Amino acid sequence: MAELVMVHGIGPKDETEQQLRRDWTRALARTLRGNGRAEQAGRLESGAVSVEMAYYRHLYTPYVPRDDYDVPLLEPMADTGTEVAKDLIENIKERASDPLDSAQAARTLEELDAEQGAVQGPYAPVRMAVAVLGRLGPVARSGFAALSSTGLFHLGQVAAYLHDETVREGAVASVLSKITPDTKAVLAHSLGTVVAYEALHRLEQPLPLLVTFGSPLGLRSIIRRRLRPQPLRTPAHVKRWVNVADRDDFIVATLRLRTLFPDNDAVLERTRLVKNRNSRPHAAVEYLKHWETVDCVAELL
């Protein structure tokens, strides 16, 4: 009976479904109240508006590193993790609002390309990619990869989703199991936008609204060969799609997601740009603080 279905993205293995649902709901309610929607905020906080979190992080248990030297990924997954890391560095190089961050990313890419030619062993490239990614200013400030094992686990979640059918189907099922005829909106963050995209293509009923934020949907390492279905198109039963991005969120693949879809796609709107805290540019609750993310949900409530 969930009116709002939330889909989380990459993150710590010990972050529970209940914790994520509570944090997202509180952030959403605060933004509603701060923009003159106290009645809607109260209904959300009291449970009068039903909210569910599509949770799938437990599926990554086999891919949690034991320490900073462990790489619990199959070789193809490690290769994908390396590709994703390079795409993220490329994002910072091309889009960072601080020229120093952009220059640092450019140097890091050159360093990575030069050193990977000399490394030995199938897992050396992904270890090196995690190390150089973690040293980048925007990444270090965000805490995304403060430890090698943390960075590897984050990249591993993306790689495992794309390669392990048990993970992929389990994540997709977690979304579809929460959607009912009463569902008004799906709110998806980070890797959750990829999961939602694939899940909603299987939906057999109308969905009034999809909201995505911090989305890697346009990453070359994800969009090429791996995203399903191809080519990119809006899920048939989605009536409105709002995408939100922070230019300094290095997970965001593109600030113009609309350009990757067919010209006649009238569902996906032009990306809305926001500015999150510098220390948390990718955090879901930061995106939910912005009226640009929430106003379309307020309309439905």
Side-chain angles (χ1 to χ4, degrees):
M1 297 292 290
E3 294 173 79
L4 300 181
V5 173
M6 300 168 169
V7 190
H8 66 78
I10 55 179
K13 62 182 181 299
D14 55 354
E15 206 168 33
T16 66
E17 176 181 351
Q18 294 75 21
Q19 179 183 347
L20 285 163
R21 183 174 65 244
R22 180 196 66 213
D23 291 348
W24 285 35
T25 301
R26 285 178 177 173
L28 182 57
R30 281 196 298 267
T31 303
L32 287 169
R33 182 169 283 108
N35 287 274
R37 304 298 197 279
E39 187 270 338
Q40 292 175 336
R43 290 174 55 228
L44 192 64
E45 291 167 327
S46 69
V49 175
S50 53
V51 180
E52 293 283 357
M53 176 64 70
Y55 188 80
Y56 55 93
R57 205 165 284 162
H58 59 289
L59 300 173
Y60 294 120
T61 299
Y63 303 107
V64 179
R66 294 187 298 265
D67 53 45
D68 283 353
Y69 303 98
D70 184 32
V71 183
L73 304 173
L74 299 175
E75 284 188 37
M77 293 184 188
D79 291 342
T80 296
T82 304
E83 287 184 60
V84 172
K86 294 181 75 170
D87 277 355
L88 299 182
I89 299 170
E90 187 72 33
N91 281 351
I92 298 171
K93 171 190 169 185
E94 295 178 354
R95 222 181 44 230
S97 57
D98 187 336
L100 295 177
D101 288 336
S102 180
Q104 184 189 21
R107 292 192 300 271
T108 299
L109 278 175
E110 293 176 359
E111 173 190 346
L112 190 57
D113 288 338
E115 292 190 12
Q116 282 187 343
V119 297
Q120 301 293 322
Y123 295 107
V126 71
R127 286 196 188 98
M128 185 175 301
V130 169
V132 298
L133 184 64
R135 292 201 301 267
L136 280 175
V139 181
R141 290 194 295 271
S142 72
F144 177 82
L147 299 172
S148 296
S149 57
T150 303
L152 184 64
F153 182 52
H154 285 150
L155 292 180
Q157 289 176 59
V158 180
Y161 178 82
L162 295 172
H163 287 274
D164 186 332
E165 288 300 316
T166 299
V167 172
R168 194 174 204 148
E169 289 301 316
V172 166
S174 74
V175 176
L176 295 176
S177 68
K178 301 295 186 183
I179 297 176
T180 72
D182 298 309
T183 302
K184 294 181 172 68
V186 170
L187 288 74
H189 172 243
S190 188
L191 180 61
T193 68
V194 177
V195 179
Y197 172 85
E198 297 196 337
L200 296 180
H201 272 286
R202 304 186 192 182
L203 197 63
E204 297 181 352
Q205 64 198 49
L207 178 70
L209 176 66
L210 169 63
V211 184
T212 54
F213 41 99
S215 177
L217 268 172
L219 280 183
R220 289 179 293 270
S221 50
I222 292 177
I223 202 172
R224 291 179 183 170
R225 306 184 304 279
R226 298 183 176 100
L227 195 64
R228 303 171 186 167
Q230 292 276 2
L232 276 178
R233 58 186 183 275
T234 294
H237 293 288
V238 173
K239 302 306 178 185
R240 184 185 183 190
W241 181 352
V242 172
N243 185 57
V244 186
D246 178 336
R247 69 177 298 113
D248 289 318
D249 179 356
F250 52 88
I251 304 294
V252 170
T254 175
L255 301 180
R256 295 181 294 175
L257 185 61
R258 180 71 185 77
T259 63
L260 303 180
F261 284 71
D263 290 339
N264 62 354
D265 189 325
V267 176
L268 174 58
E269 300 177 4
R270 184 176 180 179
T271 295
R272 302 178 178 192
L273 299 181
V274 298
K275 177 59 179 171
N276 297 329
R277 278 193 295 172
N278 287 340
S279 61
R280 304 187 71 198
H282 184 60
V285 293
E286 288 295 318
Y287 277 105
L288 290 170
K289 290 178 180 179
H290 296 287
W291 188 238
E292 292 88 344
T293 309
V294 174
D295 69 338
C296 51
V297 181
E299 292 174 23
L300 289 176
L301 295 179

